Amino acid sequence: MNRRELLLAASTLPLVGLTGAASRAFAQGAPEVVIGVLYAMSGPSAQVGIDARHAFETAAEIINGSFDFDMPTAKAAGLAGLGGAKVRLVYADHQADPQKGRAEAERLITQDKVAALIGCYQSAVSSTVSAVAERYGVPFLCADSSSPSLQRKKLKFFFRPAAQDEMFSAAMFDFFDDQKKKGKKIDSVGLFYEDTIFGVDSSNVQRKLANERGYKIAADIKYKSNSPSLSAEVQQLKSADPDVLMPSTYTTDAILLVKTMAELGYKPKNLVAQASGFSEQVTFDAVGDKLVGAISRASFSLDLAAKRPFIGKVNEMYKARSSRDLNDNSSRELMGLVILADAIDRAKSTDGTKIRDALVATDIPGTRTIMPWARVHFNDEGQNPDASPVLLQYTGSKFVTIFPGDVAIAAPIWPMNG
């Protein structure tokens, strides 16, 4: 679907999650809460935006309807604190461009009068959007951007329920330490990262952790995002041959990396990725046969549905729209909107400062989410410190949880090509 078709589809879409009596209620002027959603709906990251839209529409269906799920806002139809008001989503296409994101955020705030913003996948875009939200006093819920620097600005209206890359990377090195104790050989790592905020921040964290925990950095390679060729970089990786390759890449680059490794005959002993491109179905559709045994950090594990059956039901709702299961990104997006709606519900207002105060007061047990998190609350940087990560391994047909032990359902295949 091209950009024109996407925008046309957006303009003709009905209000999400509304059927029957709810639609008639809107026709009669019932209240609504407008939330601005910023994602790339065109360009190389368009599929991420399309999947995000499915996730947000699923969340809006849960918020606006009535479901027997033990999740915030699920049981009451609409936001009880605002008289049953429904959530309406207004989408903006930032095209993965930080300056386009800035302009679209301003438009959503000044013209569409949104109560809050949610986005943006690319950390570089979330950086500019969060600055705009701060200037206008509008809450920004950072659903899935993982750069630690986003929270370092100490913005009052910035909130991130999911883990950031310091937390994700710590889980990776905890896993390495655990494997070494079990006799596995892991002496060196290879850092491979794109040159925007996401990749640079990720590599800074991983470099620090490798040095602190005694792992040799056999390769430390930064490449230009959306590069037409990665041959020179892959030759460097092949020569260094680290025990673990640790890529921090978006989808297009992840596919190119794997294809180039195959062309040049480089098979990493192990691959442990900072999710993003290595959590997207499109990557595994394209090169999944070359990624059996690859590991990705994650915020979500569908395996948890065995303990919390409503997770499976939410996944089926999402799958009915998208034809795929929830993943690391879409799960964070869905849960992020639910958490934001819960705060608006408790604020009993669409005033930015009141919503912000309600977000500050958030305290949700992890068992009331679809995530493996211990808890949802926010520190003074707007970060949830209890968003517990997991590690997933690709088996050739699906991902299975391998770490930490209390949620793992399978032992890791290590090395991945062994």
Side-chain angles (χ1 to χ4, degrees), residues 232-294:
E233 292 84 353
V234 169
Q235 288 286 16
Q236 292 178 60
L237 289 172
K238 185 177 180 180
S239 297
D241 195 24
D243 291 326
V244 187
L245 173 60
M246 303 182 72
S248 299
T249 67
Y250 289 121
T251 306
T252 303
D253 296 337
I255 294 171
L256 179 60
L257 171 63
V258 176
K259 287 183 175 179
T260 306
M261 289 194 301
E263 289 166 2
L264 297 179
Y266 170 49
K267 287 187 177 182
K269 299 181 183 103
N270 298 286
L271 188 154
V272 179
Q274 195 72 276
S276 292
F278 286 92
S279 67
E280 289 299 322
Q281 185 62 47
V282 64
T283 300
F284 292 88
D285 289 344
V287 292
D289 59 320
K290 302 173 181 64
L291 287 172
V292 177

Side-chain angles (χ1 to χ4, degrees), residues 5 29 75 93-94 98 105 138 145 169 176 195 213 219 235 248 256 262 272 286:
E5 290 170 333
K75 294 188 177 180
D93 178 10
H94 62 56
V138 172
S145 300
S169 295
F176 299 161
D195 61 351
R213 302 201 191 190
Q235 288 286 16
S248 299
L256 179 60
V272 179

Side-chain angles (χ1 to χ4, degrees), residues 388-404:
S388 322
V390 296
L391 297 186
L392 309 177
Q393 188 163 40
Y394 184 62
T395 66
S397 59
K398 64 179 181 178
F399 281 99
V400 296
T401 309
I402 59 164
F403 189 82

